[in-house]
C-alpha cells in the first residue's frame, strides 16, 4: 500500500454495513478500501441466524441464486419456557414469498466481501484501525499501526463497540440497559435428522425464539435456528439484567442446551463452536449523531437493530445504512464538499427509508420489553397452567379457576389484560 | 473429554472449540486499585468466557480465550479495553 495514497472513501469494518457501503461505492467506480481487523472477512462476526432478504434482493442483482442461503424459513415458533417445560406457538406455512433465510453471518459476510471485490472494491483483512486522523473538527483519514491512510470521507462501520465513533465525538458509550450480550453454540447434526426433527422439507428451515428460562427470567431470550447441517442455539441477556441478577453469563447457553425441551431437539449433536457478541437493544432511542465533517456512522455503531421479541433485524438494516451512506457520498463527491452540512443528507435519506420507518413504528418496543412480566411471570404462568390443564387425575380441571388460582399474588387480571393490549398495539 | 451429549461442558471445554491466534500481549487490562475499591465485582460473572477470576482478593484476567464481545467493557467502565491487534484473537467459522 502506498503510504500517503488518498482514497475516495475508507471504510472501517467488513460487516454487512461496511460491505454494503463498499459494494455500492465500488459499483459506481469509487476508489474504496475496507479495513477489517479479523484475519479474514467473517472471522469476527456473530449473530443469531436469520437474514431478511428483501433489502438484499433489491440491491444485489441475482441475489437469490448466488447468496449462501442454507435454508428458507418456513416454520416460526415462539416458546415460553419454565425450568423444565415449554409451551409453544407455531406458525408453519410455505411462505412462498421467501422472506427470510438461515445462514451463518461469517459465511454471509465472506460472500458479500466477494461481491465487493467483483465490483472493484478493495477489502483488506487483518488490519485494525487504531485511530482517526482528525484535523480541526474534520476527519481526514485513519491510523493503522505505522500507516496513515487518507480519504475524502471515512465510513465508521465498526459495529456495536463504538470505540472510534466515541473518538470522533459522534456518540457516547452504551449504558448496560441499552445492549444485550448474546452467547451462542453451534451444534452439528446430519441434514436429514434436522429435517425430520423439525418437520421440514429439503431446504426449509425453522426459527424458534424463547422467553423465560433461557435468560433466567431476566430481560432477553433464547433462539434456535436450523441451518443446513448445523443448529445455532443461543441466549441473549441485557447487560443491566445480567449484572442485577448476578447471572453467570458463561453458563447460560450451556444450561439452555441442557433444558429438556432443547436437548431433545438437538439429541446426538455435539457443539462445534462457542461465541459471543453484543447487540444494541435501545431501538430508535439508541440512535446517536450519524455524521460529522468527513465521517458517517452505519450499522450497529449507529444502533440500527430492531428487536421485537420474536424477530431480530440488524443485518439488512446494516447493509441498507451502508448503501445510503454510499449514496450520500456520491452526492458529496458531486458537490466537492464532505462537510457535515452536505453529509446530513445521510440522515434525511435514512429517515425516509425502512430503517427509520421500522424503528419509529416500534418506538415503544424497548419500553414494552422492559416489563419483567413478559420474561418471568407469563412464561411460568403459561407453562404451569397448561401442565395442570393437561394433567388428568381423578377429575380434570377447568381452565378459568386454574388461571385465577395461578395468578393470585403474581399478577392481577387487569394488568394481564393491559399487557395483552399493549403487546397487540405495539408489537 | 465428553462430546457434550447430555453432560454440561465446562467453559474451558467450550473455549477449546474456538480457533484462536493468541497475542503475547494482553489487549485488556484491569486496574487493581479500582478493583480493590469495587464491591460488586461484576466482571466475575458477566464474561461469557469466564476470564476474570479472584485469587487471594486480587482480580486476575487471562486474555487467552477472549471472545471479543465487549460485555466486560459495558459492565465495568474501569477496564482498559481494546480489541486484539489485527489478525489476532478469535476466528469464528459459524458466527
Ligand atoms: C446474538 C445476536 C443475534 C442476532 N440475531 C440477528 C438475526 O437473527 N438477524 C439479524 O438480521 N440480525 C441479528 N443480529 C444483529 C446483527 O448481527 C447486526 O445488527 C449486524 O450484523 C451489524 O452489522 P455491522 O456491519 O453494523 O457490524 P458487524 O457485523 O459487527 O461488523 C463490524 C466489523 O468491524 C470490524 N471492526 C471493528 N473495529 C474495527 C477496527 N478498529 N478496525 C478494523 N475493523 C474493525 C469488526 O471486526 C467487524 O467485522 C443479532 C446480533 C446478535 C449479537
Ligand atoms: S468490575 Fe471492574 S473494577 Fe470491579 S473488580 Fe471487576 S474489573 Fe475491577
Ligand atoms: S470482551 Fe467479552 S470475552 Fe473478552 S473479556 Fe470481555 S466479556 Fe470476556
Amino acid at each position: 500500500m502506498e503510504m500517503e495514497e488518498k482514497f475516495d472513501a475508507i471504510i472501517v469494518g467488513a460487516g454487512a454495513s461496511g460491505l454494503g457501503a463498499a459494494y455500492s461505492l465500488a459499483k459506481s467506480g469509487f476508489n474504496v478500501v475496507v479495513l477489517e481487523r479479523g484475519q479474514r472477512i467473517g472471522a469476527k462476526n456473530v449473530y443469531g441466524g436469520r437474514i431478511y432478504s428483501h433489502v438484499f434482493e433489491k440491491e444485489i442483482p441475482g441475489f437469490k441464486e448466488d447468496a449462501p442461503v442454507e435454508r428458507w424459513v418456513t416454520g416460526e415458533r415462539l416458546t415460553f419456557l419454565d425450568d423444565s417445560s415449554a409451551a409453544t406457538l407455531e406458525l408453519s406455512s410455505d411462505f412462498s414469498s421467501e422472506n427470510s433465510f438461515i445462514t451463518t453471518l461469517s459465511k454471509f459476510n465472506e460472500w458479500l466481501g466477494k461481491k465487493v471485490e467483483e465490483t472493484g472494491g478493495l477489502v483488506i483483512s487483518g488490519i485494525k484501525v487504531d485511530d482517526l486522523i482528525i484535523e480541526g473538527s474534520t476527519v481526514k483519514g485513519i491510523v493503522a499501526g505505522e500507516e496513515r491512510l487518507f480519504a475524502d470521507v471515512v465510513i465508521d462501520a465498526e459495529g456495536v463497540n463504538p470505540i472510534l465513533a466515541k473518538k470522533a465525538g459522534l456518540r457516547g458509550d452504551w449504558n448496560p440497559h441499552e445492549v444485550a450480550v448474546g452467547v451462542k453454540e453451534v451444534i452439528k447434526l446430519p441434514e436429514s435428522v434436522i429435517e425430520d426433527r423439525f418437520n421440514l422439507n429439503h431446504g426449509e428451515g425453522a426459527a424458534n425464539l424463547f422467553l423465560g428460562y433461557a435468560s433466567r427470567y431476566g430481560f432477553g431470550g433464547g433462539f434456535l435456528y436450523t441451518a443446513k447441517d448445523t443448529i445455532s442455539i443461543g441466549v441473549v441477556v441485557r447487560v443491566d439484567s445480567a449484572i442485577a441478577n448476578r447471572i453467570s453469563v458463561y453458563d447460560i447457553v450451556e444450561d439452555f442446551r441442557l433444558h429438556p425441551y432443547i436437548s431433545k431437539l438437538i439429541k446426538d449433536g455435539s457443539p462445534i463452536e462457542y461465541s459471543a457478541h453484543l447487540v444494541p437493544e435501545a431501538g430508535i432511542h439508541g440512535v446517536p449523531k450519524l455524521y460529522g465533517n468527513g465521517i458517517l456512522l452505519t450499522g450497529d455503531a449507529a444502533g440500527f437493530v430492531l428487536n421485537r421479541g420474536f424477530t431480530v433485524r440488524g443485518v439488512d438494516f446494516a447493509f441498507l445504512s451502508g448503501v445510503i451512506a454510499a449514496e450520500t457520498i456520491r452526492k458529496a463527491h458531486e458537490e466537492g464538499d464532505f462537510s457535515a452540512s452536505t453529509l446530513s443528507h445521510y440522515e434525511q435519506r435514512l429517515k425516509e427509508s425502512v430503517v427509520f420507518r421500522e424503528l419509529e413504528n416500534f418506538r415503544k418496543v424497548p419500553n414494552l420489553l422492559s416489563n419483567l412480566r413478559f420474561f418471568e411471570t407469563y412464561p411460568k404462568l403459561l407453562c404451569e397452567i397448561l401442565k395442570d390443564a393437561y394433567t388428568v387425575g381423578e377429575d380434570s380441571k377447568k381452565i378459568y379457576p386454574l388461571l385465577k388460582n395461578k395468578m393470585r399474588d403474581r399478577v392481577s387480571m387487569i394488568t394481564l389484560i393491559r399487557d395483552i393490549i399493549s403487546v397487540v398495539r405495539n408489537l | 473429554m465428553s462430546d457434550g451429549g447430555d453432560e454440561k461442558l465446562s467453559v474451558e471445554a467450550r473455549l477449546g472449540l474456538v480457533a484462536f491466534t493468541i497475542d503475547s500481549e494482553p489487549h485488556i487490562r484491569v486496574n487493581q486499585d479500582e478493583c480493590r475499591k469495587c464491591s460488586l465485582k461484576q466482571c466475575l460473572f458477566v464474561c461469557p468466557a469466564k476470564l476474570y477470576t479472584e485469587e487471594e482478593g486480587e482480580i486476575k484476567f487471562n486474555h487467552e480465550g477472549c471472545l471479543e464481545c465487549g460485555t466486560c467493557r459495558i459492565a465495568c467502565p474501569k477496564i482498559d479495553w481494546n480489541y486484539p491487534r489485527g489478525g489476532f484473537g478469535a476466528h469464528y467459522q459459524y458466527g
Side-chain angles (χ1 to χ4, degrees):
Chain A
M1 224 184 307
E2 286 269 302
M3 278 302 272
E4 298 237 325
E5 187 177 352
K6 189 170 174 205
F7 292 90
D8 292 326
I10 295 171
I11 298 164
V12 184
S17 69
L19 294 169
Y23 175 74
S24 177
L25 283 171
K27 227 170 42 173
S28 31
F30 280 61
N31 178 21
V32 295
V33 63
V34 184
L35 302 173
E36 166 57 48
R37 66 184 187 88
Q39 196 185 52
R40 53 179 161 76
I41 304 175
K44 303 294 188 188
N45 307 122
V46 176
Y47 85 146
R50 168 234 299 268
I51 296 175
Y52 290 90
S53 62
H54 181 74
V55 165
F56 293 99
E57 281 170 46
K58 219 169 124 195
E59 300 297 333
I60 304 177
F63 176 77
K64 270 192 180 167
E65 294 68 49
D66 202 20
V69 170
E70 298 202 19
R71 293 176 183 277
W72 287 96
V73 176
T74 56
E76 305 270 2
R77 298 178 183 179
L78 177 63
T79 302
F80 298 88
L81 283 186
D82 69 10
D83 289 13
S84 59
S85 39
T88 297
L89 287 170
E90 179 165 357
L91 171 68
S92 83
S93 97
D94 63 355
F95 280 107
S96 46
S97 56
E98 300 197 332
N99 182 263
S100 69
F101 60 87
I102 296 169
T103 188
T104 64
L105 193 55
S106 301
K107 219 180 280 173
F108 187 71
N109 284 342
E110 190 186 347
W111 177 83
L112 280 179
K114 285 207 189 88
K115 289 275 140 191
V116 170
E117 281 162 1
E118 280 168 22
T119 49
L122 182 62
V123 187
I124 307 178
S125 312
I127 305 240
K128 178 178 143 193
V129 173
D130 298 309
D131 210 347
L132 298 168
I133 301 169
I134 305 177
E135 287 173 11
S137 65
T138 303
V139 176
K140 296 281 185 185
I142 62 93
V143 183
E146 304 287 288
E147 290 205 73
R148 290 157 62 84
L149 297 182
F150 293 86
D152 287 336
V153 61
V154 171
I155 299 181
D156 181 353
E158 67 187 316
V160 68
N161 288 300
I163 312 292
L164 298 170
K166 271 173 25 187
K167 287 188 176 166
L170 290 177
R171 58 167 303 155
D173 221 321
W174 302 103
N175 290 306
H177 71 275
E178 295 174 313
V179 280
V181 50
V183 196
K184 171 166 124 172
E185 285 182 15
V186 177
I187 317 283
K188 185 107 182 147
L189 274 172
E191 221 176 317
S192 59
V193 171
I194 293 178
E195 283 161 9
D196 287 349
R197 254 180 228 174
F198 289 83
N199 199 14
L200 302 165
N201 291 317
H202 190 68
E204 292 180 347
N208 198 166
L209 294 170
F210 299 83
L211 289 177
Y213 171 81
S215 60
R216 300 288 165 81
Y217 309 106
F219 302 116
F223 60 79
L224 179 155
Y225 294 98
T226 61
K228 187 158 173 265
D229 56 0
T230 57
I231 293 179
S232 291
I233 59 170
V235 178
V236 176
V237 188
R238 234 168 60 184
V239 176
D240 62 330
S241 192
I243 297 172
N245 302 327
R246 299 187 79 85
I247 293 176
S248 302
V249 174
Y250 47 81
D251 271 343
I252 41 176
V253 70
E254 189 61 7
D255 291 344
F256 181 55
R257 182 174 75 88
L258 297 174
H259 187 283
Y261 182 80
I262 302 295
S263 68
K264 239 179 275 163
L265 289 173
I266 58 166
K267 190 171 151 16
D268 299 327
S270 51
I272 54 169
E273 193 168 81
Y274 182 63
S275 55
H277 203 280
L278 289 175
V279 58
E281 288 274 323
I284 192 92
H285 313 286
V287 176
K289 191 155 185 277
L290 297 169
Y291 57 89
N293 294 317
I295 187 165
L296 293 170
L297 199 59
T298 60
D300 276 7
F304 297 148
V305 175
L306 180 66
N307 177 356
R308 287 164 69 192
F310 53 94
T311 63
V312 183
R313 278 184 85 173
V315 177
D316 58 333
F317 285 3
F319 187 83
L320 186 60
S321 68
V323 168
I324 295 174
E327 194 182 296
T328 301
I329 290 170
R330 280 193 291 269
K331 185 177 151 68
H333 186 79
E334 265 167 41
E335 293 176 14
D337 175 40
F338 294 88
S339 69
S341 77
T342 311
L343 295 184
S344 68
H345 175 81
Y346 174 55
E347 184 169 324
Q348 284 166 33
R349 283 284 296 107
L350 268 172
K351 284 193 168 150
E352 296 155 16
S353 77
V354 63
V355 177
F356 265 70
R357 274 206 311 276
E358 287 281 287
L359 289 176
E360 274 294 345
N361 256 338
F362 298 103
R363 122 178 325 270
K364 290 196 180 139
V365 170
N367 228 337
L368 181 69
L369 294 180
S370 286
N371 175 351
L372 257 184
R373 288 187 293 277
F374 289 112
F375 304 96
E376 176 153 27
T377 319
Y378 298 146
K380 284 185 178 166
L381 209 57
L382 202 63
C383 289
E384 285 174 29
I385 290 169
L386 289 174
K387 241 189 297 187
D388 282 7
Y390 283 103
T391 306
V392 178
E394 294 261 293
D395 313 285
S396 40
K397 298 164 194 149
K398 285 228 169 85
I399 296 275
Y400 187 70
L402 212 73
L403 180 68
K404 250 181 40 192
N405 183 26
K406 294 280 179 196
M407 283 171 62
R408 190 171 300 144
D409 301 329
R410 291 158 99 181
V411 57
S412 72
M413 196 54 93
I414 303 269
T415 307
L416 174 67
I417 291 169
R418 222 190 272 138
D419 282 345
I420 293 174
I421 292 173
S422 84
V423 165
V424 172
R425 258 206 212 131
N426 296 308
L427 276 179
Chain B
M1 196 189 79
S2 128
D3 70 350
D6 294 337
E7 277 166 57
K8 187 157 169 166
L9 286 177
S10 68
V11 66
E12 293 78 17
R14 278 174 274 142
L15 291 174
L17 302 170
V18 186
F20 289 106
T21 304
I22 292 169
D23 204 348
S24 50
E25 282 294 297
H27 54 283
I28 294 172
R29 287 168 207 275
V30 295
N31 178 338
Q32 291 300 344
D33 292 337
E34 295 292 347
C35 297
R36 270 188 286 276
K37 287 186 279 179
C38 175
S39 54
L40 203 52
K41 297 197 168 35
Q42 60 272 29
C43 59
L44 296 175
F45 52 88
V46 298
C47 170
K50 206 182 183 181
L51 299 177
Y52 295 83
T53 49
E54 197 172 15
E55 279 169 43
E56 291 159 15
E58 282 239 315
I59 297 293
K60 299 261 185 250
F61 174 73
N62 174 10
H63 72 288
E64 299 172 18
C66 175
L67 301 168
E68 300 165 41
C69 59
T71 310
C72 56
R73 193 180 74 74
I74 302 290
C76 171
K78 310 287 186 209
I79 293 171
D80 174 16
W81 194 95
N82 287 288
Y83 281 123
R85 281 194 292 156
F88 284 88
H91 314 299
Y92 294 121
Q93 288 182 52
Y94 301 90

